[in-house]
Each structure stands twice: as structure tokens, then as C-alpha cells.
Amino acid sequence: MSYPDPRYFGDTGEINATFRPATAAPDFVSKPVATSGPNVAQGTAYHYLSTTASTGGEYGLYRVDMGPQFGGPSTHFHKSMSESFFILSGTMRLFDGRRWIDATAGDYLYVPVGGLHAFRNESGEPASMLMLFAPGAPREEYFEGVTELAGLSDEERAEFFLRHDSFFV
């Protein structure tokens, strides 16, 4: 395997890196499941580290901080992008197409294009992970729109998932 063809043709390099401190606020926080009671839901916080817009479509990288409440998508696949998961803290249940795995800090799962997968937090404790999509796709619209699915018709919901390359089985 060789390196890709060059895409930068300058001789001196450029000053164009982007730094985002760990203390930066999340870009989007999903609505909580409950707002009162002993187990107040915190929602899921999405940190848009590198979007398809900021990487020119090369990849999308997101930090996902899930509260202690049960949550996560059911088994699905993508036709146009791979997805990777790197657990930062807590315990996340990852489905690799064959089995569910209790993944903890430092564990990693790569899912090629078309690969069945799912993830969820069943631990009752907060969990955090990095999600990488390659090539990049406008996942911000998906993260923000998925919270509104309950108000959509069956046809609108099906169109939403098709538009966002998410095929549930």
C-alpha cells in the first residue's frame, strides 16, 4: 500500500491547524429524557471536534458524552462511510455485528462501510467516547435531528434516516 497522491503543492507548509481545548462547551446537548425525579436525565453532549466542513470532507470526529441513562441506537449500517469508536471513560456496550462487548477506556471498534453495529450506555454511569466517520458526512444534522423523530410521520422518519445514511435492521 502506498501513500495517497499529494494534495498540497506548496514548498513551505501553512499555518492552518485548529486547537479545541477539552474545556470547550459541547456544541449540542440532546434533550433529557426526564427533567425531574431522583434520576434526572442529563441528555447526551456532542462535541463537534472535526466536522466534514472543517476537514473538507475527509472525516468527522465527535466526542460523545452520555449520561447515566440507558441510550443509544439499535443495530444499523452505513452505505457511504465507516465508523470508529474509541472509549474515553465509563463502560459502553458496542455491537460488532456478531456480539455485544462491554468496552471501557482505551477500547476501540472499527466498523467498515456496510458493517452492522450499534452502541449504548447500559451501565447506569456516565460514559464518553470518540466517534470517527470517514469520509466525512454532515452528522451534526443527524445528531440534532434525531431528537425530533417522535414528531415525524413514518414517511418523514424514513426519509431522515435515508438522507443520513442510516439503515436500521
Side-chain angles (χ1 to χ4, degrees), residues 14-88:
E14 296 180 7
I15 299 172
N16 58 5
T18 303
F19 174 75
R20 181 183 170 113
T23 56
D27 297 283
F28 173 69
V29 178
S30 66
K31 293 179 184 178
V33 179
T35 56
S36 63
N39 296 318
V40 175
Q42 300 169 2
T44 298
Y46 295 88
H47 300 260
Y48 300 165
L49 304 177
S50 292
T51 65
T52 191
S54 69
T55 66
E58 290 187 36
Y59 68 93
L61 179 65
Y62 306 88
R63 189 176 97 214
V64 181
D65 298 328
M66 298 180 84
Q69 298 76 27
F70 179 89
S74 61
T75 303
H76 63 285
F77 64 94
H78 307 291
K79 293 184 176 184
S80 67
M81 60 191 171
S82 65
E83 188 170 358
S84 297
F85 303 88
F86 182 83
I87 308 305
L88 297 170

Side-chain angles (χ1 to χ4, degrees), residues 110-121:
Y110 167 68
V111 182
V113 175
L116 292 171
H117 64 286
F119 65 89
R120 56 184 174 221
N121 183 2

